[in-house]
Amino acid sequence: MTPAAPTATAPAAGRLHRLELGLKPGVADARGDRTLHAIRRHLGLDVAAVRTRDLYTFDADLSGEDLARIAAEFTDPVIQLGGSPRLEADDPPGWDWMIIIGFKPGVTDNVGRTSRTAVAALLGRPLAEGEGVYTSTAWVLAAPALTRADAQRIADELLANPLIQSTQIISRAEWEAGAPRPGVPRVQSATRPRVERIDLSGSDDDLLRISQSRTLALSLAEMRAIRDYFRQAGSDPRRRELGLDDQPTDVELEMLAQTWSEHCKHKIFAARIDYTDETGKTQTIDSLFKTYIRGATQKIGERIDWLVSVFHDNAGVIAFNDRIDLVYKVETHNSPSALEPYGGAMTGIVGVNRDTLGTGMGAEPLVNVWGYCFASPFYDQPLPEGVMHPRRLRDGVHKGVIDGGNQSGIPYAVGWEFFDWRYLAKPMVYCGTLGLMPKTVAGRPSGEKAARPGDRVVMVGGRIGKDGIHGATFSSIELHKDSPVQAVQIGDPITQKKMSDFLKEARDAGLYSAITDNGAGGLSSSVGEMARKPGGAAVDLARAPLKYAGLQPWEIWLSEAQERMT
């Protein structure tokens, strides 16, 4: 029997076109079955069946012929049916509720982005600036006894993360009356780009209010220090020549805050502390890090000869043989994973992949490792507001780590898990990468890199967006239910894989003199780190590729991403 040709129809208004893909009747729906099992087990709700479908919204000038070609290409004719927003062949008989989950404006939609590339290749022409593809998922539930509140609970507790995703609940009656499907999640256009001066002349309460409202994670003492510095710098003639005064700009204040954050500066590890042991003896320790971590490693280094580079680059380097060094990096991604388990863990694993790429002149990621600490997956007590169930956290984190590695071509090797109730509100998520680096690159030692006067500043990888702003400062403060959505990134491992392959070729050809990542602090940290030796750099933010219009200069300068290098 020849399968029916998939179709796609466009709404009458505008240039929005929609395509829905669902499984054919009789084809097992693993995603729906997992959701059904979770609803019954974790929520105790009476649901008979769940089927799922994928929704694509095309915001582009497309002809009917274009839509037909796209629908045919996107649909698997063996197991899927594709059609207009009224596709119903795969619905469970007598279904009652449809739950549609999509991304909020400004949140990275990886499938939508790769679909946009596929559409351009299929049509043989690039899509224009502003044209795009946006994805969402629909869960169709057969559950006569389910109320709208029950459907919302399923969405909130099992299917969607309200920080990064929007939810639409549609009843059968509303669907039959023509309830609209999701549109385009547009970012609200901001006022034209401008640099704002921040008045720090107020009271201590005013200083703390500024720190809290802007998610700066700065203490009162730190805010006072910044205020006093700019009061003195305001009379500097070089500053006056640039039209600046004794008030910091938002660019300057935000950059100082992320650099001074606990996430970047490690102030607790670097602090001077007085420690009293069980015998009552007190000693002063000047930096736990310098004394017990770096200090211990340096003592080991006096007895061995295979420590190549430790504590001054993106990852540690040790000798393996006479041709190859091993590069190793492990870090935690706790706060992002607590807010968005899948995306937070994915950015963790592709982040350490990226740290490996940015070590020395660039290493090649070889294998990933991981370690988690959660509360019991069988936890059955009431949860604090805004806290996900540890089973949902664990499953989302592990899927993020696995997908982040697999989609960028890096397998995972070994890991561990530990369970204790104290990790209920904030898990511990370790991500690690082992990489290979040749001892010499383009005729010089691979561990040596230095930007030179006259070098061009080049950014490669993903475009800049609002996701990733305040990632460093948000990770340095206590989590709460109003933690900023823009701090959560959604990693893009496919873009990172393409970037990684490109960088390996560029490295071997000797095309760059220094490289580092756009992690915490974005361009501000990557350019700032590498520009120290040549004495500075000039950067024109108007030339930075953006995901969408409306970003302010400080956002462009500080937005971090795991798949972006300088």
Side-chain angles (χ1 to χ4, degrees):
M1 178 177 177
T2 303
T7 62
T9 61
R15 61 176 188 181
L16 294 184
H17 316 277
R18 296 195 180 95
L19 170 66
E20 296 196 9
L21 303 180
L23 295 169
K24 290 182 176 181
V27 175
D29 187 340
R31 185 170 51 176
D33 290 343
R34 285 197 305 269
T35 302
L36 176 64
H37 176 75
I39 292 171
R40 290 172 173 173
R41 178 176 180 181
H42 299 306
L43 303 183
L45 296 174
D46 184 15
V47 176
V50 178
R51 298 285 283 184
T52 64
R53 63 177 60 167
D54 297 310
L55 283 60
Y56 294 83
T57 300
F58 303 93
D59 180 15
D61 290 321
L62 302 173
S63 67
E65 182 181 349
D66 291 337
L67 291 170
R69 293 175 63 193
I70 293 169
E73 182 68 21
F74 277 42
T75 306
D76 182 341
V78 177
I79 62 172
Q80 287 182 313
L81 293 171
S84 74
R86 288 295 174 264
L87 174 71
E88 55 184 316
D90 65 327
D91 295 335
W95 66 271
D96 302 281
W97 295 97
M98 181 179 293
I99 303 173
I100 301 177
I101 309 295
F103 289 110
K104 286 185 174 182
V107 177
T108 299
D109 181 349
N110 283 330
V111 177
R113 185 185 304 177
T114 54
S115 297
R116 185 182 190 275
T117 302
V119 168
L122 183 65
L123 301 180
R125 62 173 176 82
L127 295 185
E129 191 73 26
E131 294 185 318
V133 183
Y134 305 89
T135 64
S136 49
T137 305
W139 279 261
V140 184
L141 282 62
L146 217 63
T147 65
R148 184 177 294 273
D150 291 333
Q152 189 66 56
R153 185 183 172 204
I154 292 171
D156 293 343
E157 296 186 27
L158 289 179
L159 302 178
N161 183 338
L163 274 175
I164 63 169
Q165 291 172 312
S166 59
T167 302
Q168 184 179 5
I169 308 293
I170 303 175
S171 69
R172 178 66 176 265
E174 292 167 339
W175 184 85
E176 290 177 343
R181 290 297 198 275
V184 173
R186 296 195 184 279
V187 176
Q188 291 294 323
S189 294
T191 55
R192 69 181 186 86
R194 64 189 181 93
V195 175
E196 179 185 357
R197 285 179 168 81
I198 310 299
D199 184 2
L200 300 183
S201 63
S203 65
D204 287 350
D205 287 342
D206 291 332
L207 293 177
L208 286 175
R209 177 184 52 78
I210 292 171
S211 176
Q212 292 166 0
S213 65
R214 300 189 71 100
T215 318
L216 301 179
L218 292 171
S219 67
L220 178 58
E222 291 163 344
M223 289 294 291
R224 286 172 173 171
I226 292 175
R227 175 198 63 193
D228 295 344
Y229 172 83
F230 280 97
R231 281 178 176 174
Q232 294 181 348
S235 59
D236 189 324
R238 294 170 299 178
R239 188 169 178 81
R240 294 290 182 178
E241 287 176 9
L242 296 171
L244 302 173
D245 54 23
D246 61 356
Q247 294 180 348
T249 64
D250 51 2
V251 179
E252 293 171 310
L253 183 59
E254 293 280 357
M255 183 166 54
L256 287 171
Q258 75 85 19
T259 306
W260 213 349
S261 68
E262 181 64 39
H263 180 82
C264 294
K265 185 63 176 173
H266 302 299
K267 293 175 284 191
I268 295 174
F269 261 158
R272 182 181 290 108
I273 65 171
D274 294 324
Y275 171 67
T276 302
D277 63 20
E278 64 275 10
T279 67
K281 181 181 178 181
T282 298
Q283 62 174 317
T284 298
I285 303 172
D286 186 5
S287 175
L288 289 167
F289 173 74
K290 291 180 181 177
T291 304
Y292 295 112
I293 301 176
R294 173 179 281 181
T297 306
Q298 288 174 339
K299 288 181 180 179
I300 294 173
E302 294 171 359
R303 305 196 308 266
I304 60 177
D305 62 357
W306 42 265
L307 292 184
V308 178
S309 173
V310 291
F311 300 122
H312 74 269
D313 208 334
N314 290 309
V317 184
I318 63 172
F320 181 68
N321 58 27
D322 59 353
R323 296 180 296 104
I324 293 173
D325 290 335
L326 295 181
V327 177
Y328 193 49
K329 175 65 178 285
V330 177
E331 69 177 23
T332 60
H333 243 218
N334 309 329
S335 294
S337 299
L339 291 184
E340 207 318 87
Y342 180 77
M346 177 180 282
T347 59
I349 200 67
V350 299
V352 289
N353 296 162
R354 175 214 65 212
D355 284 328
T356 305
L357 291 168
T359 297
M361 290 297 286
E364 183 178 358
L366 177 67
V367 69
N368 290 330
V369 297
W370 48 267
Y372 316 135
C373 298
F374 299 109
S376 170
F378 307 108
Y379 186 84
D380 59 359
Q381 301 301 311
L383 293 167
E385 184 180 2
V387 173
M388 297 183 189
H389 191 278
R391 179 59 183 261
R392 183 179 177 189
L393 275 171
R394 189 269 167 199
D395 290 350
V397 163
H398 193 53
K399 191 172 191 307
V401 168
I402 301 307
D403 284 359
N406 285 349
Q407 291 177 20
S408 55
I410 307 168
Y412 75 97
V414 66
W416 52 265
E417 298 184 48
F418 178 78
F419 299 96
D420 188 281
W421 69 269
R422 288 171 291 186
Y423 293 102
L424 179 66
K426 187 172 182 178
M428 185 82 75
V429 178
Y430 286 98
C431 297
T433 296
L434 176 68
L436 297 178
M437 186 165 66
K439 285 189 175 294
T440 60
V441 170
R444 67 175 185 173
S446 60
E448 299 177 4
K449 60 182 177 183
R452 304 162 300 192
D455 277 355
R456 299 280 181 164
V457 179
V458 180
M459 186 188 83
V460 298
R463 289 172 174 257
I464 295 173
K466 282 184 176 291
D467 50 328
I469 294 174
H470 286 147
T473 53
F474 136 82
S475 295
S476 306
I477 56 179
E478 184 181 63
L479 274 176
H480 53 86
K481 63 183 180 64
D482 298 317
S483 292
V485 57
Q486 69 268 24
V488 181
Q489 300 173 61
I490 303 298
D492 185 356
I494 295 175
T495 294
Q496 179 147 310
K497 171 59 175 171
K498 293 190 288 186
M499 179 188 72
S500 175
D501 290 347
F502 160 75
L503 288 175
K504 184 174 183 293
E505 292 189 33
R507 177 199 69 183
D508 294 343
L511 297 183
Y512 57 81
S513 59
I515 184 172
T516 197
D517 63 276
N518 277 215
L523 286 167
S524 75
S525 63
S526 62
V527 176
E529 289 171 10
M530 293 194 295
R532 282 183 296 184
K533 188 164 184 177
V539 178
D540 184 355
L541 295 180
R543 301 180 66 180
L546 307 180
K547 293 178 182 176
Y548 33 73
L551 271 68
Q552 294 299 331
W554 76 265
E555 295 176 315
I556 299 172
W557 186 230
L558 269 83
S559 177
E560 62 181 279
Q562 310 299 17
E563 63 282 345
R564 195 182 307 140
M565 308 285 287
T566 298

